[in-house]
Tab-separated table of all heavy atoms in Angstrom:
chain	number	residue	atom	x	y	z
A	355	LYS	N	-1.863	-20.010	14.070
A	355	LYS	CA	-2.792	-20.951	14.713
A	355	LYS	C	-2.084	-21.695	15.833
A	355	LYS	O	-0.948	-22.146	15.684
A	355	LYS	CB	-3.328	-21.978	13.707
A	355	LYS	CG	-4.029	-21.383	12.498
A	355	LYS	CD	-5.320	-20.698	12.853
A	355	LYS	CE	-5.976	-20.106	11.614
A	355	LYS	NZ	-7.034	-19.178	11.933
A	356	SER	N	-2.785	-21.844	16.959
A	356	SER	CA	-2.232	-22.560	18.115
A	356	SER	C	-2.967	-23.873	18.377
A	356	SER	O	-2.514	-24.669	19.183
A	356	SER	CB	-2.339	-21.686	19.358
A	356	SER	OG	-3.710	-21.510	19.720
A	357	GLY	N	-4.101	-24.057	17.738
A	357	GLY	CA	-4.946	-25.201	18.058
A	357	GLY	C	-5.984	-24.875	19.107
A	357	GLY	O	-6.808	-25.702	19.470
A	358	ASN	N	-5.961	-23.634	19.603
A	358	ASN	CA	-6.921	-23.175	20.603
A	358	ASN	C	-7.542	-21.881	20.084
A	358	ASN	O	-6.863	-20.851	20.009
A	358	ASN	CB	-6.216	-22.949	21.948
A	358	ASN	CG	-7.151	-22.477	23.040
A	358	ASN	OD1	-8.014	-21.645	22.812
A	358	ASN	ND2	-6.954	-22.997	24.241
A	359	SER	N	-8.822	-21.922	19.725
A	359	SER	CA	-9.446	-20.760	19.085
A	359	SER	C	-9.495	-19.540	20.007
A	359	SER	O	-9.402	-18.404	19.537
A	359	SER	CB	-10.852	-21.115	18.598
A	359	SER	OG	-11.667	-21.506	19.683
A	360	ILE	N	-9.613	-19.750	21.321
A	360	ILE	CA	-9.624	-18.609	22.250
A	360	ILE	C	-8.258	-17.926	22.242
A	360	ILE	O	-8.154	-16.701	22.146
A	360	ILE	CB	-10.031	-19.050	23.674
A	360	ILE	CG1	-11.482	-19.528	23.674
A	360	ILE	CG2	-9.838	-17.925	24.682
A	360	ILE	CD1	-11.930	-20.183	24.960
A	361	MET	N	-7.203	-18.725	22.326
A	361	MET	CA	-5.842	-18.190	22.286
A	361	MET	C	-5.590	-17.466	20.965
A	361	MET	O	-5.021	-16.374	20.944
A	361	MET	CB	-4.846	-19.342	22.443
A	361	MET	CG	-3.414	-19.000	22.172
A	361	MET	SD	-2.660	-18.238	23.583
A	361	MET	CE	-0.985	-18.105	23.019
A	362	ASP	N	-6.043	-18.067	19.862
A	362	ASP	CA	-5.867	-17.433	18.555
A	362	ASP	C	-6.547	-16.071	18.518
A	362	ASP	O	-5.942	-15.079	18.103
A	362	ASP	CB	-6.423	-18.327	17.441
A	362	ASP	CG	-5.668	-19.642	17.317
A	362	ASP	OD1	-4.607	-19.804	17.955
A	362	ASP	OD2	-6.157	-20.520	16.579
A	363	GLY	N	-7.780	-16.001	18.971
A	363	GLY	CA	-8.520	-14.743	18.965
A	363	GLY	C	-7.842	-13.665	19.797
A	363	GLY	O	-7.755	-12.503	19.393
A	364	LYS	N	-7.348	-14.051	20.976
A	364	LYS	CA	-6.641	-13.088	21.844
A	364	LYS	C	-5.360	-12.596	21.178
A	364	LYS	O	-4.995	-11.425	21.296
A	364	LYS	CB	-6.300	-13.733	23.193
A	364	LYS	CG	-7.508	-14.160	24.008
A	364	LYS	CD	-8.224	-12.977	24.582
A	364	LYS	CE	-9.352	-13.438	25.497
A	364	LYS	NZ	-10.084	-12.321	26.074
A	365	THR	N	-4.688	-13.489	20.476
A	365	THR	CA	-3.456	-13.107	19.776
A	365	THR	C	-3.763	-12.124	18.652
A	365	THR	O	-3.066	-11.125	18.482
A	365	THR	CB	-2.744	-14.359	19.215
A	365	THR	OG1	-2.459	-15.231	20.311
A	365	THR	CG2	-1.467	-14.000	18.500
A	366	TYR	N	-4.812	-12.395	17.881
A	366	TYR	CA	-5.178	-11.481	16.787
A	366	TYR	C	-5.525	-10.104	17.338
A	366	TYR	O	-5.169	-9.079	16.749
A	366	TYR	CB	-6.349	-12.030	15.971
A	366	TYR	CG	-6.139	-13.432	15.446
A	366	TYR	CD1	-7.220	-14.285	15.258
A	366	TYR	CD2	-4.874	-13.919	15.135
A	366	TYR	CE1	-7.045	-15.577	14.783
A	366	TYR	CE2	-4.695	-15.215	14.669
A	366	TYR	CZ	-5.782	-16.038	14.497
A	366	TYR	OH	-5.615	-17.323	14.040
A	367	ASP	N	-6.216	-10.083	18.481
A	367	ASP	CA	-6.531	-8.799	19.118
A	367	ASP	C	-5.255	-8.069	19.520
A	367	ASP	O	-5.150	-6.851	19.355
A	367	ASP	CB	-7.425	-9.003	20.350
A	367	ASP	CG	-8.828	-9.476	19.999
A	367	ASP	OD1	-9.222	-9.360	18.809
A	367	ASP	OD2	-9.530	-9.979	20.903
A	368	ALA	N	-4.273	-8.801	20.072
A	368	ALA	CA	-3.011	-8.180	20.483
A	368	ALA	C	-2.278	-7.577	19.285
A	368	ALA	O	-1.644	-6.529	19.398
A	368	ALA	CB	-2.124	-9.209	21.189
A	369	PHE	N	-2.382	-8.231	18.132
A	369	PHE	CA	-1.768	-7.703	16.911
A	369	PHE	C	-2.577	-6.560	16.303
A	369	PHE	O	-2.064	-5.852	15.448
A	369	PHE	CB	-1.644	-8.802	15.846
A	369	PHE	CG	-0.405	-9.627	15.963
A	369	PHE	CD1	-0.465	-10.912	16.454
A	369	PHE	CD2	0.814	-9.125	15.565
A	369	PHE	CE1	0.674	-11.692	16.556
A	369	PHE	CE2	1.965	-9.891	15.657
A	369	PHE	CZ	1.895	-11.177	16.160
A	370	GLU	N	-3.830	-6.408	16.752
A	370	GLU	CA	-4.758	-5.488	16.077
A	370	GLU	C	-4.710	-5.781	14.576
A	370	GLU	O	-4.435	-4.922	13.747
A	370	GLU	CB	-4.412	-4.033	16.378
A	370	GLU	CG	-4.554	-3.669	17.843
A	370	GLU	CD	-4.310	-2.190	18.114
A	370	GLU	OE1	-4.626	-1.353	17.240
A	370	GLU	OE2	-3.806	-1.889	19.193
A	371	TYR	N	-4.993	-7.049	14.261
A	371	TYR	CA	-4.757	-7.569	12.914
A	371	TYR	C	-5.543	-6.855	11.824
A	371	TYR	O	-5.117	-6.846	10.670
A	371	TYR	CB	-5.033	-9.079	12.870
A	371	TYR	CG	-6.496	-9.432	12.826
A	371	TYR	CD1	-7.153	-9.625	11.623
A	371	TYR	CD2	-7.238	-9.532	14.004
A	371	TYR	CE1	-8.493	-9.924	11.583
A	371	TYR	CE2	-8.578	-9.838	13.962
A	371	TYR	CZ	-9.205	-10.030	12.756
A	371	TYR	OH	-10.536	-10.312	12.727
A	372	LYS	N	-6.679	-6.233	12.161
A	372	LYS	CA	-7.426	-5.535	11.102
A	372	LYS	C	-6.638	-4.328	10.605
A	372	LYS	O	-6.656	-4.018	9.415
A	372	LYS	CB	-8.805	-5.121	11.601
A	372	LYS	CG	-9.743	-6.308	11.766
A	372	LYS	CD	-11.114	-5.893	12.183
A	372	LYS	CE	-11.998	-7.120	12.371
A	372	LYS	NZ	-13.322	-6.790	12.882
A	373	LYS	N	-5.931	-3.648	11.504
A	373	LYS	CA	-5.091	-2.516	11.111
A	373	LYS	C	-3.705	-2.975	10.669
A	373	LYS	O	-3.041	-2.286	9.897
A	373	LYS	CB	-4.919	-1.533	12.279
A	373	LYS	CG	-6.150	-0.732	12.610
A	373	LYS	CD	-5.848	0.436	13.537
A	373	LYS	CE	-5.268	-0.027	14.848
A	373	LYS	NZ	-5.105	1.052	15.831
A	374	ASN	N	-3.263	-4.110	11.208
A	374	ASN	CA	-1.900	-4.605	10.965
A	374	ASN	C	-1.957	-6.066	10.532
A	374	ASN	O	-1.630	-6.952	11.315
A	374	ASN	CB	-1.076	-4.475	12.255
A	374	ASN	CG	-1.181	-3.095	12.862
A	374	ASN	OD1	-0.808	-2.118	12.248
A	374	ASN	ND2	-1.704	-3.027	14.073
A	375	PRO	N	-2.384	-6.321	9.309
A	375	PRO	CA	-2.632	-7.712	8.897
A	375	PRO	C	-1.388	-8.572	8.719
A	375	PRO	O	-1.487	-9.790	8.753
A	375	PRO	CB	-3.376	-7.558	7.571
A	375	PRO	CG	-2.937	-6.228	7.047
A	375	PRO	CD	-2.707	-5.366	8.247
A	376	ASN	N	-0.210	-7.962	8.562
A	376	ASN	CA	0.981	-8.750	8.236
A	376	ASN	C	2.120	-8.566	9.227
A	376	ASN	O	2.271	-7.501	9.828
A	376	ASN	CB	1.498	-8.389	6.841
A	376	ASN	CG	0.497	-8.729	5.764
A	376	ASN	OD1	0.000	-9.854	5.707
A	376	ASN	ND2	0.183	-7.780	4.912
A	377	ILE	N	2.906	-9.601	9.353
A	377	ILE	CA	4.179	-9.561	10.071
A	377	ILE	C	5.234	-9.668	8.979
A	377	ILE	O	5.187	-10.584	8.153
A	377	ILE	CB	4.289	-10.740	11.052
A	377	ILE	CG1	3.154	-10.685	12.074
A	377	ILE	CG2	5.650	-10.742	11.737
A	377	ILE	CD1	2.961	-11.970	12.854
A	378	VAL	N	6.189	-8.720	8.958
A	378	VAL	CA	7.132	-8.652	7.841
A	378	VAL	C	8.556	-8.494	8.359
A	378	VAL	O	8.822	-7.662	9.226
A	378	VAL	CB	6.801	-7.452	6.917
A	378	VAL	CG1	7.794	-7.359	5.760
A	378	VAL	CG2	5.383	-7.531	6.390
A	379	PHE	N	9.453	-9.313	7.810
A	379	PHE	CA	10.886	-9.104	8.024
A	379	PHE	C	11.493	-8.711	6.698
A	379	PHE	O	11.350	-9.415	5.699
A	379	PHE	CB	11.588	-10.358	8.557
A	379	PHE	CG	13.086	-10.167	8.672
A	379	PHE	CD1	13.609	-9.432	9.716
A	379	PHE	CD2	13.943	-10.686	7.718
A	379	PHE	CE1	14.980	-9.219	9.816
A	379	PHE	CE2	15.314	-10.481	7.806
A	379	PHE	CZ	15.833	-9.753	8.862
A	380	GLN	N	12.191	-7.559	6.685
A	380	GLN	CA	12.846	-7.059	5.473
A	380	GLN	C	14.327	-6.861	5.779
A	380	GLN	O	14.676	-6.083	6.666
A	380	GLN	CB	12.227	-5.725	5.043
A	380	GLN	CG	12.916	-5.055	3.864
A	380	GLN	CD	12.600	-5.720	2.539
A	380	GLN	OE1	11.449	-5.798	2.157
A	380	GLN	NE2	13.614	-6.175	1.848
A	381	LEU	N	15.173	-7.585	5.084
A	381	LEU	CA	16.613	-7.475	5.280
A	381	LEU	C	17.089	-6.077	4.920
A	381	LEU	O	16.708	-5.531	3.885
A	381	LEU	CB	17.329	-8.509	4.402
A	381	LEU	CG	18.834	-8.603	4.569
A	381	LEU	CD1	19.183	-9.292	5.883
A	381	LEU	CD2	19.455	-9.365	3.406
A	382	THR	N	17.913	-5.489	5.796
A	382	THR	CA	18.540	-4.201	5.474
A	382	THR	C	20.041	-4.360	5.301
A	382	THR	O	20.670	-3.600	4.582
A	382	THR	CB	18.254	-3.138	6.556
A	382	THR	OG1	18.689	-3.615	7.824
A	382	THR	CG2	16.778	-2.802	6.608
A	383	GLU	N	20.625	-5.352	5.997
A	383	GLU	CA	22.056	-5.627	5.874
A	383	GLU	C	22.243	-7.131	6.036
A	383	GLU	O	21.609	-7.733	6.882
A	383	GLU	CB	22.864	-4.958	6.988
A	383	GLU	CG	22.661	-3.477	7.142
A	383	GLU	CD	23.187	-2.975	8.483
A	383	GLU	OE1	24.191	-3.522	8.982
A	383	GLU	OE2	22.570	-2.057	9.013
A	384	GLY	N	23.115	-7.699	5.276
A	384	GLY	CA	23.402	-9.122	5.434
A	384	GLY	C	24.890	-9.348	5.545
A	384	GLY	O	25.673	-8.520	5.105
A	385	SER	N	25.271	-10.427	6.149
A	385	SER	CA	26.688	-10.794	6.148
A	385	SER	C	27.084	-11.121	4.715
A	385	SER	O	26.282	-11.622	3.947
A	385	SER	CB	26.922	-12.026	7.019
A	385	SER	OG	26.615	-11.744	8.352
A	386	ILE	N	28.318	-10.837	4.391
A	386	ILE	CA	28.804	-11.183	3.061
A	386	ILE	C	29.166	-12.668	3.102
A	386	ILE	O	30.275	-13.053	3.462
A	386	ILE	CB	30.027	-10.329	2.663
A	386	ILE	CG1	29.706	-8.842	2.815
A	386	ILE	CG2	30.489	-10.661	1.266
A	386	ILE	CD1	28.568	-8.352	1.963
A	387	VAL	N	28.199	-13.496	2.798
A	387	VAL	CA	28.380	-14.940	2.851
A	387	VAL	C	27.991	-15.521	1.510
A	387	VAL	O	26.920	-15.219	0.982
A	387	VAL	CB	27.504	-15.558	3.971
A	387	VAL	CG1	27.513	-17.072	3.882
A	387	VAL	CG2	27.991	-15.107	5.324
A	388	LYS	N	28.853	-16.304	0.964
A	388	LYS	CA	28.541	-16.991	-0.279
A	388	LYS	C	27.891	-18.318	0.085
A	388	LYS	O	28.489	-19.138	0.776
A	388	LYS	CB	29.810	-17.219	-1.098
A	388	LYS	CG	29.545	-17.836	-2.435
A	388	LYS	CD	30.801	-17.913	-3.262
A	388	LYS	CE	30.477	-18.555	-4.602
A	388	LYS	NZ	31.633	-18.627	-5.468
A	389	LEU	N	26.657	-18.519	-0.347
A	389	LEU	CA	25.948	-19.747	-0.019
A	389	LEU	C	26.549	-20.930	-0.771
A	389	LEU	O	26.927	-20.819	-1.928
A	389	LEU	CB	24.462	-19.621	-0.348
A	389	LEU	CG	23.672	-18.571	0.425
A	389	LEU	CD1	22.200	-18.669	0.096
A	389	LEU	CD2	23.871	-18.703	1.913
A	390	SER	N	26.622	-22.041	-0.066
A	390	SER	CA	27.131	-23.269	-0.662
A	390	SER	C	26.298	-24.425	-0.118
A	390	SER	O	25.288	-24.200	0.548
A	390	SER	CB	28.610	-23.458	-0.297
A	390	SER	OG	28.734	-23.728	1.092
A	391	ASN	N	26.741	-25.645	-0.358
A	391	ASN	CA	25.994	-26.786	0.170
A	391	ASN	C	26.384	-27.094	1.619
A	391	ASN	O	25.910	-28.044	2.204
A	391	ASN	CB	26.169	-28.024	-0.718
A	391	ASN	CG	27.623	-28.442	-0.831
A	391	ASN	OD1	28.519	-27.799	-0.298
A	391	ASN	ND2	27.854	-29.521	-1.550
A	392	GLN	N	27.246	-26.267	2.205
A	392	GLN	CA	27.631	-26.383	3.609
A	392	GLN	C	26.849	-25.352	4.426
A	392	GLN	O	26.497	-24.292	3.922
A	392	GLN	CB	29.132	-26.098	3.789
A	392	GLN	CG	30.029	-26.994	2.966
A	392	GLN	CD	29.973	-28.439	3.412
A	392	GLN	OE1	29.953	-28.725	4.594
A	392	GLN	NE2	29.931	-29.354	2.462
A	393	ASP	N	26.607	-25.661	5.707
A	393	ASP	CA	25.969	-24.688	6.599
A	393	ASP	C	26.869	-23.463	6.739
A	393	ASP	O	28.058	-23.590	7.017
A	393	ASP	CB	25.734	-25.288	7.986
A	393	ASP	CG	24.579	-26.283	8.002
A	393	ASP	OD1	23.892	-26.414	6.970
A	393	ASP	OD2	24.363	-26.916	9.046
A	394	GLU	N	26.298	-22.294	6.525
A	394	GLU	CA	27.031	-21.037	6.649
A	394	GLU	C	26.351	-20.190	7.717
A	394	GLU	O	25.159	-19.895	7.610
A	394	GLU	CB	27.027	-20.264	5.320
A	394	GLU	CG	27.619	-21.009	4.142
A	394	GLU	CD	29.134	-21.090	4.186
A	394	GLU	OE1	29.753	-20.362	4.979
A	394	GLU	OE2	29.694	-21.914	3.434
A	395	ASP	N	27.097	-19.803	8.759
A	395	ASP	CA	26.542	-18.918	9.786
A	395	ASP	C	26.465	-17.507	9.233
A	395	ASP	O	27.402	-17.024	8.583
A	395	ASP	CB	27.423	-18.929	11.040
A	395	ASP	CG	27.396	-20.270	11.753
A	395	ASP	OD1	26.344	-20.941	11.723
A	395	ASP	OD2	28.421	-20.657	12.337
A	396	VAL	N	25.346	-16.855	9.488
A	396	VAL	CA	25.128	-15.510	8.967
A	396	VAL	C	24.337	-14.697	9.984
A	396	VAL	O	23.560	-15.254	10.751
A	396	VAL	CB	24.392	-15.576	7.595
A	396	VAL	CG1	23.031	-16.202	7.726
A	396	VAL	CG2	24.294	-14.227	6.938
A	397	THR	N	24.587	-13.408	10.018
A	397	THR	CA	23.765	-12.498	10.812
A	397	THR	C	22.925	-11.691	9.840
A	397	THR	O	23.464	-11.020	8.956
A	397	THR	CB	24.632	-11.549	11.668
A	397	THR	OG1	25.415	-12.333	12.562
A	397	THR	CG2	23.757	-10.598	12.468
A	398	LEU	N	21.615	-11.799	9.992
A	398	LEU	CA	20.690	-11.054	9.144
A	398	LEU	C	20.199	-9.847	9.941
A	398	LEU	O	19.594	-10.003	10.998
A	398	LEU	CB	19.511	-11.939	8.748
A	398	LEU	CG	19.865	-13.232	8.011
A	398	LEU	CD1	18.635	-14.117	7.883
A	398	LEU	CD2	20.462	-12.928	6.657
A	399	THR	N	20.464	-8.668	9.441
A	399	THR	CA	20.030	-7.439	10.102
A	399	THR	C	18.936	-6.832	9.255
A	399	THR	O	19.101	-6.653	8.046
A	399	THR	CB	21.198	-6.445	10.256
A	399	THR	OG1	22.213	-7.068	11.035
A	399	THR	CG2	20.741	-5.171	10.938
A	400	GLY	N	17.813	-6.558	9.881
A	400	GLY	CA	16.706	-6.004	9.119
A	400	GLY	C	15.633	-5.438	10.004
A	400	GLY	O	15.788	-5.344	11.231
A	401	ASN	N	14.556	-5.056	9.382
A	401	ASN	CA	13.409	-4.478	10.084
A	401	ASN	C	12.313	-5.522	10.224
A	401	ASN	O	11.905	-6.122	9.237
A	401	ASN	CB	12.875	-3.258	9.327
A	401	ASN	CG	13.868	-2.106	9.350
A	401	ASN	OD1	14.559	-1.887	10.339
A	401	ASN	ND2	13.955	-1.378	8.253
Side-chain angles (χ1 to χ4, degrees):
K355 303 293 179 194
S356 68
N358 180 319
S359 61
I360 294 171
M361 169 82 175
D362 296 350
K364 297 287 185 180
T365 301
Y366 306 150
D367 291 344
F369 274 106
E370 296 184 32
Y371 77 93
K372 288 183 182 175
K373 288 193 300 187
N374 310 299
N376 297 309
I377 300 165
V378 179
F379 175 77
Q380 175 75 59
L381 185 74
T382 56
E383 306 164 34
S385 296
I386 307 299
V387 171
K388 184 174 180 178
L389 297 186
S390 68
N391 60 357
Q392 303 293 319
D393 286 354
E394 302 285 346
D395 293 327
V396 62
T397 299
L398 302 171
T399 300
N401 293 324

